[in-house]
Amino acid sequence: MDQFGDIVFTLGAVGALGAAEPWDAGAIESVLAAYKGFIDTEVAPTNAPADRVGCHVLDGRVHLPPALPQLYKSYVALGWQLLPLSVDVGGIGAPVPVCCAASEMLSGANHAFEMLVALVPGAIGVIDRFGTEAQKAALIPDLVAGTALATMCLTEADAGSDLGVIRTSAAPDGFGCWSVSGEKIFISGGDQDLSQTIVHLVLARTGPLADGVKGLSLFACPSLRADGTRNGVSVVRIEEKLGLHASPTCQLRFDAAQAHLLGQPGDGLKAMFVMMDHARLDVAIQGVAHAAQAHTLAVTYAGQRRQGDRAIAEHGDVARMLAEMEALTLGSRAMAYRAAALLEHDDLAAFLTPVCKVFCTDTASTVADLGIQVLGGYGYLPEYGMEQIWRDARVTRLYEGTNGVLAMSLVRRLLGGPGEAAFVAEVDAALALAPSAAARDGLAAIQQDWRTAADTVLASHDKGRAATSLMALTGLLYFAACWVRLEAADPGGEQGERIRRLGRFVRAALLPDAVALRIRCQALAHADTEDA
């Protein structure tokens, strides 16, 4: 089993490999191979030690595990921060699916480090789209050069999913900038000792509280003022967490902090969701990365561990678990890469992004849990690495929109709209590619279950009751559609034979879940009606 080979194969299978220079298939594989070399030699060795050491606050500043600042210097010196950035701002301009592949490798090697660097492309995108020319000139070059990193500051103690009650406020300071005051919590990388400065993107209130989200605006708040002095941003505390110990999750206080308004007053959510959509797809990729790492560890262990006269990988129940881990990893990767390849299709991207975020992160927890089971008691011990995967993966179902909130968005906002129509067309396109009757019939059956469930939920009085089940069924349908693309990609080759063989397991063990999910959707959609 070769995760790198699977990454390259999947890029081609979902139509994400370029056909023209400079990003043809050969160039893409060469770049990713070089990136893998950096990952294997410099990033992966820092993961477990950094998790054990964790972060701490000294004299009001956050200090990361000592291996990470040096790692970041190497990351920037080699120019890897430029890979996802547009040529227009001085980046390399790699296609989005290629950036997803790189992000998967980085997240799998050290999720905490990936989180510290991952928000920069989205931050540059927001500043480039909504900022003035002067703001772009002041903020973007440092982000490109790696001398600045970025954060996204939304959440407050009483404002999580309900951003309409945000109380952090901003007002003109009389000198051409704005003054931001308030507190934000759960800010990943809110302070660190990697970069010289940080650009905080802060959602703050410029209108009365009664205006709700319409009174919110987005601000770029550098940690240093133009004269080099510290801005009014301080660390109140860092959280003690289940996982991601090397990623500082900060509570920040903004005390009349100097900031730049991005866009117009009241357009905060519009601007922030440009960054949020980028972040949600990145979280889906994090889920894929954890699943891939867990599967790799489990396969290695099960091949070496003997029980009786054979390796435990040959025992029926272990073989079943390994097959499920492999299938979920391959399918979720195909989902995320295919969604990345379709980002320019706005309606379809808006539908697929939350579906991928939910399915891929649920997959991460499932595969990590199976990995612990394959390793048995050793899976429960820290020195084998599986329990860290389980801990680190768990948060992906919580941040950038909890999976339950995204499920509610599916049934309340996306179903019945243009995104749904585009999604149905995407599934139909995959159906037309089916290389066998079994693949075609399996996908068609799930599509019918989904259609029945979606129509039932749309007609129900309380759509929220069935939201999580319908989201799971939607994810399973997209998984099945992407699996068909995998099966159709290499009809005569060794990789294609492996995928088709695993496809028989998928249709026997995973896709039948659609029936149970459809029944659950129907039952929950009618749960609020009186018995006859």
Side-chain angles (χ1 to χ4, degrees), residues 92-462:
I92 294 174
V96 175
V98 175
C99 297
C100 287
S103 181
E104 179 190 333
M105 288 190 280
L106 185 58
S107 297
N110 191 323
H111 183 176
F113 181 77
E114 190 271 348
M115 287 183 65
L116 288 161
V117 302
L119 289 180
V120 168
I124 289 176
V126 169
I127 296 167
D128 191 52
R129 179 170 173 181
F130 295 97
T132 65
E133 292 303 316
Q135 289 169 345
K136 295 176 190 179
L139 299 170
I140 290 179
D142 283 347
L143 291 166
V144 173
T147 52
L149 290 172
T151 72
M152 184 164 55
C153 304
L154 283 71
T155 306
E156 298 180 5
D158 295 316
S161 299
D162 184 7
L163 297 176
V165 295
I166 279 177
R167 293 184 177 274
T168 296
S169 62
D173 66 0
F175 300 98
C177 287
W178 290 65
S179 177
V180 174
S181 295
E183 290 195 1
K184 298 288 185 177
I185 64 170
F186 297 158
I187 309 306
S188 299
D191 191 34
Q192 34 79 5
D193 52 359
L194 301 185
S195 61
Q196 296 174 22
T197 186
I198 302 171
V199 178
H200 301 288
L201 294 187
V202 186
L203 202 59
R205 183 163 299 286
T206 51
L209 187 60
D211 285 353
V213 296
K214 295 180 180 179
L216 298 177
S217 303
L218 184 64
F219 296 87
C221 182
S223 61
L224 297 179
R225 297 186 181 93
D227 61 7
T229 60
R230 297 290 302 174
N231 205 350
V233 185
S234 58
V235 178
V236 177
R237 60 181 297 225
I238 56 175
E239 305 294 344
E240 296 291 333
K241 309 188 298 293
L242 173 69
L244 292 176
H245 296 155
S247 172
T249 303
C250 302
Q251 180 177 344
L252 296 182
R253 177 176 295 124
F254 294 84
D255 186 8
Q258 188 181 83
H260 309 275
L261 173 66
L262 298 176
Q264 298 300 313
D267 283 348
L269 279 190
K270 176 183 175 182
M272 181 57 77
F273 270 99
V274 171
M275 191 169 184
M276 181 72 78
D277 287 341
H278 173 275
R280 282 177 177 164
L281 185 57
D282 189 61
V283 173
I285 293 294
Q286 291 169 0
V288 174
H290 283 301
Q293 291 297 309
H295 179 230
T296 298
L297 277 176
V299 167
T300 301
Y301 178 86
Q304 297 171 347
R305 175 75 169 176
R306 299 189 67 81
Q307 187 167 356
D309 61 349
R310 52 187 168 159
I312 64 170
E314 299 176 35
H315 289 259
D317 191 53
V318 174
R320 173 195 61 80
M321 289 189 285
L322 293 175
E324 184 172 348
M325 295 170 77
E326 182 178 14
L328 287 172
T329 299
L330 283 167
S332 62
R333 178 184 288 124
M335 292 168 67
Y337 288 10
R338 177 68 180 167
L342 297 170
L343 280 181
E344 293 183 359
H345 302 266
D346 292 346
D347 292 333
L348 182 55
F351 194 96
L352 290 180
T353 297
V355 171
C356 287
K357 192 273 187 184
V358 172
F359 190 91
C360 294
T361 58
D362 283 348
T363 287
S365 287
T366 298
V367 173
D369 195 68
L370 285 169
I372 290 175
Q373 200 67 24
V374 169
L375 269 65
Y378 292 114
Y380 203 64
L381 303 180
E383 58 261 38
Y384 283 80
M386 194 69 79
E387 62 87 37
Q388 185 187 345
I389 294 174
W390 186 88
R391 287 187 289 105
D392 289 353
R394 185 58 182 87
V395 75
T396 62
R397 294 158 60 191
L398 302 176
Y399 60 24
E400 309 307 345
T402 69
N403 287 4
V405 166
L406 294 182
M408 294 292 286
S409 174
L410 172 70
V411 299
R412 291 181 174 176
R413 186 172 61 86
L414 297 174
L415 280 186
E420 180 192 332
F423 174 67
V424 170
E426 167 70 5
V427 174
D428 287 341
L431 198 60
L433 296 173
S436 67
R440 182 177 60 252
D441 293 347
L443 178 55
I446 298 183
Q447 188 177 33
Q448 183 57 54
D449 283 323
W450 179 81
R451 183 72 272 163
T452 300
D455 288 345
T456 303
V457 172
L458 270 174
S460 66
H461 173 68
D462 185 359

